[in-house]
Amino acid sequence: MPPGSSRHRFLVSLLNRTLVRTVIPSFLLLVGVLALTVGGARDSRSIEDLRKAESALNQTRLDEALTLCLQVIERDSKYAPAYYLLGTIYEQQGSKESAKQALLKALKLDPGHLASHLKLGTIHLQEGDFSSAAKALQTAATLGDASGASQYGLGLILVSKSKYAQARPLLLAAVRTDPKNAEKLFALIAVELQLKQRTKARTHSLQLARLHSGNPWVLYRLGILFIQHQMLDDAQAQLERAATLLSGTTDLKGVQLSDLYLQLAQIRLTRQDNFAALQYLEKIDISKLSPELQPATLDLQGTALLALGRVAEARSKHQQAAQFDSSQSEHWEHWIWTELLTGRTTKASSLAAEAKKKWPRSLPIQKLASLVEREHSSERAHVPFSDEWHVKGEGLVCCPCAVPCPCRSNGPPTAGHCENVGTFRIETGHYGSVTLDGLTFASAGCTMGSQVAPSVLYVNRETNDDQIIALERLYQSFLPLRPILFSEVRRKEILFAKGNDGKAYEVTIPGSLEIKILRQTDDQGRPLFQTAAVDYFSNTIEYAKNVVYRVFDEELQLRWDFSRRQANFRVFDLQSKMYKQGMMLVQYSDGSGSFNKRQQELIQAWRLPVLHPVPRSSRPINQSPRR
């Protein structure tokens, strides 16, 4: 393994971390000294001086330890423990070649000197000479090493060869021998995570955290390790504990409190929890971060602010990030976008032109420049971004998923695809000064997950241009971090009919689609299967019977039939402030497979209903799609 390789760096980092330094316990040295003094007569002065040298070494008085040790060797050149101690001192001073020569001399004098084999194996490990390390450590194990150091080292060598399954038993044995050694525990946890043994890794991480509950460096390292394996809940818990311990104290061992806050903010941003992310970001002392992290942190602050609808503040942060490091095109993209969102189209146009010169081959810059030019037109400029809005009405959505639809509880589609249609009727509403009363529209495509903009938007024939732009701005409010464009808008006759009993809903767009659902309610008209849900218009939906769900738009080449699959219904009363205040479950979607911690907290706080398993008699019959 080359010394500069990633695996070599990983092993060296394991060996050199100062959390709990992995060194040969001092009692081994004493064992070596006493063993040899029994075998032959030794000058009592030499024994005493060697013990003094060992004491000085343990107190890191290296010069004193070296002087005493050399004096002993000068008097007794065949004293193996003295050469062992000399090698240990040289190793502490960073003179590894001298250390190896001294240890080899000790082993020449006494081939069975266990501590020398262990120390020599450790040095070889640090240098990346795994063949020599394995030989020395295996000899130590054969000689009866009871410290676990040889097993630990041999385990690390197997890690270097990606033989994690073979490494784990050795590391586990090392931990059992020395259960309070943090480095051995940490290496075991890292290997178990590589083997996808998350339950075992969690058990050992709890053991490590309990043993070092007051050490933020241990908790920080655990948190970073969990991040690397996408175990964000575990990472967040450890990093928050580390941050609590570090609060009000000086930074520890190269870990700054600002670094911790940045890691926690990134976890929260991954979970779309922009409120919590911003709280951490605002605690960061930018000046204490490395130069490369400072503009990145400003950019993250802008992203969190923008997601919360605080556009003007976001623009300022993105501007600072772009000006701090003008070489990053992504910072410029964010700056231009927020200039556009704040209505500063002239400034956005100027920046876009400059960005095109700086990055002529950047596709994102080219797309953004085209968008700026589009928004600069007079017919769009008078319907501003980020205006206040309020809509009330009802809507229904059909898709091919099972019931309950996993997309609605923060998971992926049942079959990996989601050809859905959402049809909505706004009874009363407005976007800024644009009235949306009576607007009926249908969005077809894959609007769950990261794709918010529909593939096609159908609006009723009488819908004017301002209303279409306002509707696009409304969708933009759902996800303000990137442009939302309606690529296809079709004005058509939309028949949105509601049965007299309030249960049957039928939607027909001649030549394009047909939907019929039946709401399931009790005798009092209350929904039977209402539940908290990830949805852009409401935090709750109710599952309905999907009677007919067909799309047959030949012009747009959309054709599918998922009748008798999933259907849901919602009544909505939605305002822009609900997104700005982080009140929508959809704002925290991360696709983790079920409601995440933040979503569960909101569900409990607002006492939203949670659906129990749907009775089989009420479930739709899954059929193969007819396309």
Side-chain angles (χ1 to χ4, degrees):
M1 177 185 302
S5 69
S6 59
R7 284 184 193 152
H8 174 249
R9 290 193 299 269
F10 168 71
L11 288 175
V12 170
S13 68
L14 280 176
L15 288 164
N16 290 334
R17 283 183 180 123
T18 57
L19 163 66
V20 172
R21 188 169 177 80
T22 305
V23 296
I24 308 303
S26 59
F27 78 87
L28 282 177
L29 173 62
L30 185 58
V31 169
V33 172
L34 294 178
L36 285 173
T37 56
V38 172
R42 288 259 95 83
D43 189 317
S44 60
R45 182 182 173 189
S46 295
I47 296 175
E48 182 63 28
D49 284 350
L50 195 61
R51 285 173 174 165
K52 290 179 180 179
E54 179 189 1
S55 176
L57 172 63
N58 289 336
Q59 297 176 46
T60 67
R61 303 196 309 270
L62 299 183
D63 291 341
E64 179 185 342
L66 180 61
T67 299
L68 287 167
C69 191
L70 289 174
Q71 289 174 354
V72 171
I73 290 173
E74 186 177 354
R75 288 196 301 269
D76 189 348
S77 61
K78 296 185 182 299
Y79 196 11
Y83 286 99
Y84 165 71
L85 186 60
L86 180 63
T88 301
I89 295 168
Y90 281 143
E91 189 260 347
Q92 291 289 305
Q93 290 179 329
S95 302
K96 287 188 170 56
E97 285 303 318
S98 298
K100 287 189 291 185
Q101 292 303 316
L103 292 167
L104 288 171
K105 178 68 174 178
L107 290 172
K108 184 178 180 180
L109 293 169
D110 180 8
H113 194 263
L114 173 60
S116 292
H117 285 293
L118 287 174
K119 178 61 71 176
L120 189 60
T122 300
I123 294 173
H124 285 314
L125 265 178
Q126 292 172 331
E127 294 179 329
D129 184 355
F130 298 117
S131 176
S132 298
K135 182 178 178 180
L137 293 170
Q138 189 59 60
T139 301
T142 302
L143 289 171
D145 169 35
S147 71
S150 59
Q151 293 164 314
Y152 174 63
L154 291 168
L156 292 183
I157 292 170
L158 289 170
V159 169
S160 76
K161 301 175 182 178
S162 299
K163 295 181 178 180
Y164 303 114
Q166 293 171 257
R168 184 180 178 275
L170 288 168
L171 295 174
L172 184 60
V175 166
R176 286 172 176 168
T177 302
D178 188 7
K180 294 184 179 181
N181 187 298
E183 287 304 322
K184 293 174 183 177
L185 267 169
F186 190 85
L188 176 61
I189 294 164
V191 165
E192 288 173 334
L193 290 175
Q194 287 286 348
L195 293 170
K196 310 298 183 185
Q197 298 177 355
R198 292 191 169 188
T199 300
K200 293 177 180 178
R202 283 192 176 104
T203 298
H204 287 118
S205 68
L206 287 173
Q207 179 182 346
L208 178 58
R210 281 196 302 267
L211 287 170
H212 302 277
S213 59
N215 191 329
W217 175 234
V218 174
L219 305 177
Y220 173 78
R221 287 179 58 198
L222 274 177
I224 298 302
L225 184 61
F226 284 134
I227 288 175
Q228 293 169 354
H229 290 273
Q230 299 300 306
M231 298 170 65
L232 299 186
D233 285 339
D234 301 83
Q236 180 179 318
Q238 299 299 342
L239 292 176
E240 285 179 344
R241 290 175 61 194
T244 300
L245 289 171
L246 272 179
S247 296
T249 65
T250 56
D251 298 327
L252 178 70
K253 295 180 181 178
V255 180
Q256 298 179 351
L257 193 54
S258 291
D259 292 329
L260 275 170
Y261 289 147
L262 183 57
Q263 294 287 351
L264 285 164
Q266 289 174 320
I267 292 174
R268 293 291 193 168
L269 285 172
T270 300
R271 291 285 173 82
Q272 309 298 321
D273 191 349
N274 296 290
F275 274 102
L278 188 59
Q279 289 177 337
Y280 283 120
L281 289 167
E282 289 175 339
K283 294 179 180 179
I284 293 174
D285 183 348
I286 296 288
S287 65
K288 288 192 174 183
L289 296 175
S290 61
E292 63 271 17
L293 285 180
Q294 291 181 25
T297 301
L298 289 167
D299 191 68
L300 286 176
Q301 288 176 334
T303 297
L305 288 164
L306 182 56
L308 296 172
R310 294 162 61 176
V311 183
E313 295 170 83
R315 184 197 64 78
S316 176
K317 294 295 183 181
H318 285 310
Q319 179 181 357
Q320 291 177 53
Q323 292 176 337
F324 192 106
D325 183 1
S326 61
S327 67
Q328 296 296 318
S329 62
E330 188 177 53
H331 296 338
W332 276 69
E333 293 168 31
H334 298 163
W335 183 15
I336 295 168
W337 175 233
T338 50
E339 291 287 357
L340 191 60
L341 288 178
T342 53
R344 296 157 59 97
T345 54
T346 301
K347 179 66 174 179
S349 181
S350 173
L351 290 173
E354 187 176 350
K356 286 174 67 176
K357 293 179 182 178
K358 290 171 68 71
W359 299 282
R361 296 184 179 180
S362 170
L363 185 58
I365 291 292
Q366 298 294 330
K367 288 182 176 179
L368 190 54
S370 298
L371 177 64
V372 170
E373 183 178 354
R374 172 177 180 254
E375 292 299 328
H376 208 55
S377 63
S378 58
E379 61 268 19
R380 296 185 65 84
H382 70 277
V383 183
F385 281 105
S386 308
D387 214 338
E388 299 298 320
W389 52 265
H390 187 184
V391 290
K392 298 175 65 174
E394 53 192 1
L396 52 99
V397 176
C398 294
C399 77
C401 284
V403 177
C405 174
C407 307
R408 300 295 173 178
S409 56
N410 199 30
T414 302
H417 56 87
C418 191
E419 299 88 338
N420 66 76
V421 170
T423 306
F424 303 89
R425 180 169 60 190
I426 298 175
E427 299 289 352
T428 61
H430 71 89
Y431 181 91
S433 61
V434 179
T435 180
L436 300 176
D437 294 352
L439 178 62
T440 302
F441 63 95
S443 60
C446 183
T447 55
M448 294 304 298
S450 60
Q451 183 182 345
V452 178
S455 301
V456 58
L457 181 77
Y458 299 101
V459 296
N460 40 14
R461 294 188 186 278
E462 60 272 20
T463 305
N464 61 45
D465 290 346
D466 283 356
Q467 289 175 318
I468 293 174
I469 296 171
L471 196 57
E472 189 175 77
R473 304 283 199 245
L474 187 71
Y475 270 71
Q476 186 69 72
S477 299
F478 298 156
L479 191 64
L481 299 182
R482 63 176 184 268
I484 299 298
L485 302 175
F486 291 161
S487 56
E488 290 284 348
V489 179
R490 300 300 172 94
R491 287 184 171 91
K492 287 198 170 189
E493 180 184 13
I494 301 179
L495 304 174
F496 191 108
K498 178 179 179 180
N500 292 332
D501 59 0
K503 294 184 178 181
Y505 281 78
E506 293 188 41
V507 179
T508 303
I509 302 178
S512 297
L513 64 84
E514 177 186 7
I515 293 174
K516 181 177 180 180
I517 71 165
L518 289 173
R519 292 180 63 193
Q520 300 181 84
T521 61
D522 61 16
D523 294 340
Q524 304 299 317
R526 294 172 297 197
L528 292 174
F529 304 117
Q530 188 176 42
T531 185
V534 171
D535 187 82
Y536 290 109
F537 286 86
S538 176
N539 278 329
T540 58
I541 62 171
E542 58 182 87
Y543 285 102
K545 286 187 177 180
N546 177 341
V547 180
V548 177
Y549 169 39
R550 299 191 304 120
V551 176
F552 42 88
D553 192 319
E554 298 297 340
E555 185 179 358
L556 295 175
Q557 298 183 343
L558 298 176
R559 175 172 287 276
W560 60 75
D561 185 346
F562 291 109
S563 300
R564 305 181 72 188
R565 293 291 188 93
Q566 190 275 147
N568 59 69
F569 175 85
R570 83 274 293 120
V571 175
F572 58 85
D573 184 352
L574 189 65
Q575 301 180 56
S576 53
K577 69 178 182 180
M578 296 171 71
Y579 274 88
K580 292 180 180 180
Q581 295 174 6
M583 298 172 64
M584 301 299 294
L585 295 176
V586 72
Q587 292 179 273
Y588 306 95
S589 296
D590 56 15
S592 58
S594 59
F595 288 126
N596 58 40
K597 183 179 179 181
R598 179 60 172 155
Q599 289 171 327
Q600 290 176 16
E601 289 172 352
L602 295 179
I603 290 170
Q604 293 175 5
W606 297 328
R607 298 183 180 180
L608 300 179
V610 178
L611 185 66
H612 295 289
V614 179
R616 290 186 176 275
S617 60
S618 301
R619 293 182 181 179
I621 300 173
N622 290 331
Q623 303 178 145
S624 298
R626 298 187 292 277
R627 296 180 179 270

